[in-house]
Amino acid sequence: DIQMTQSPSSLSASVGDRVTISCRASQGIRNDLGWFQQKPGKAPKRLIYAASSLQSGVPSRFSGSGSGTEFTLTISSLQPEDFATYYCLQHNSSPYTFGQGTKLEI
Amino acid sequence: QVQLVQSGSELKKPGASVKVSCKASGYSFTTFGLNWVRQAPGQGLEWMGWINTITGNPTYAQGFTGRFVFSLDTSVSTTYLQINDLKAEDTAVYYCARDAVLDPWGQGTPVTVSS
């Protein structure tokens, strides 16, 4: 199985900050990676697909990069509504696997 | 618009069974597979497996074999998750999500197992 190591597990930041979240795959997954945002009591929402493509309707302050084994999600200027938990997901091979999550807090 | 709507919350006793539904709309049902994801209280997301909506063939992740059953009714564009012989550790929110890229998601179905 492919392991996804996500870091950090939690992050304190302020409105306007630039933040980066990382995911490392235990083996190469090409660009078969998505990033998801989850707010308390809500279903996850996809932000990024194919490692770097922005989901329609998602603000441009979100961006993704990487290929192979190293991936990052960047939020260029944090807004109050961005405080949530973020997950990466690899869908290169079964079983699909999520990162452990990053809780972004004020 | 593309939408997945799940059935409501469930409260069950240990040893019972539960069947959660996920109804798709806004697209051709057999075009994409459907995944199931579990989230235990306060925990992260765990991929349970997926079902091929053309063949009905399910694929289960390790840890979700035996008591967990994915099924389909293509006539109503719905996929089902049945969990048999429920245990306290099955208490979680269960989500369906479309395709390998998991978009969109259903709203989630909380399942509570308690005596």
Side-chain angles (χ1 to χ4, degrees):
Chain A
D1 298 2
I2 297 175
Q3 309 303 317
M4 300 301 295
T5 303
Q6 187 173 339
S7 62
S9 57
S10 64
L11 179 57
S12 293
S14 301
V15 173
D17 284 354
R18 178 185 180 91
V19 300
T20 299
I21 299 168
S22 298
C23 261
R24 172 177 291 175
S26 59
Q27 63 191 71
I29 59 169
R30 302 182 305 183
N31 68 338
D32 297 330
L33 182 116
W35 288 97
F36 297 82
Q37 177 193 65
Q38 187 179 32
K39 295 183 178 179
K42 300 293 188 182
K45 168 188 163 185
R46 191 175 69 170
L47 303 174
I48 300 287
Y49 64 96
S52 59
S53 296
L54 190 67
Q55 180 80 11
S56 175
V58 173
S60 59
R61 63 181 179 271
F62 291 92
S63 64
S65 64
S67 183
T69 61
E70 301 284 343
F71 302 88
T72 59
L73 172 71
T74 299
I75 311 172
S76 60
S77 178
L78 273 174
Q79 298 302 300
E81 61 268 30
D82 300 337
F83 292 94
T85 301
Y86 294 84
Y87 296 92
C88 62
L89 165 77
Q90 73 80 19
H91 57 90
N92 177 263
S93 67
S94 182
Y96 301 159
T97 42
F98 289 93
Q100 302 93 319
T102 296
K103 187 172 184 179
L104 183 50
E105 302 173 298
I106 300 173
Chain B
Q1 77 280 22
V2 176
Q3 199 172 5
L4 299 177
V5 178
Q6 298 183 225
S7 49
S9 61
E10 301 271 7
L11 173 61
K12 296 290 185 180
K13 295 189 184 300
S17 295
V18 68
K19 194 170 187 177
V20 176
S21 67
C22 168
K23 183 174 176 60
S25 62
Y27 71 99
S28 176
F29 183 67
T30 55
T31 302
F32 300 98
L34 283 162
N35 299 266
W36 288 97
V37 175
R38 182 172 76 178
Q39 187 168 39
Q43 301 301 307
L45 303 170
E46 189 173 16
W47 185 74
M48 301 173 65
W50 73 289
I51 187 163
N52 184 315
T53 54
I54 298 175
T55 64
N57 184 51
T59 298
Y60 301 99
Q62 196 170 9
F64 296 101
T65 56
R67 298 189 298 116
F68 298 83
V69 180
F70 306 153
S71 61
L72 291 175
D73 184 343
T74 55
S75 69
V76 290
S77 300
T78 299
T79 187
Y80 302 94
L81 163 66
Q82 180 164 326
I83 310 172
N84 299 315
D85 188 22
L86 282 161
K87 305 178 188 306
E89 53 265 37
D90 295 323
T91 295
V93 178
Y94 292 86
Y95 295 99
C96 59
R98 190 183 71 162
D99 197 28
V101 294
L102 273 67
D103 179 73
W105 293 57
Q107 81 275 22
T109 297
V111 174
T112 302
V113 183
S114 175
S115 54

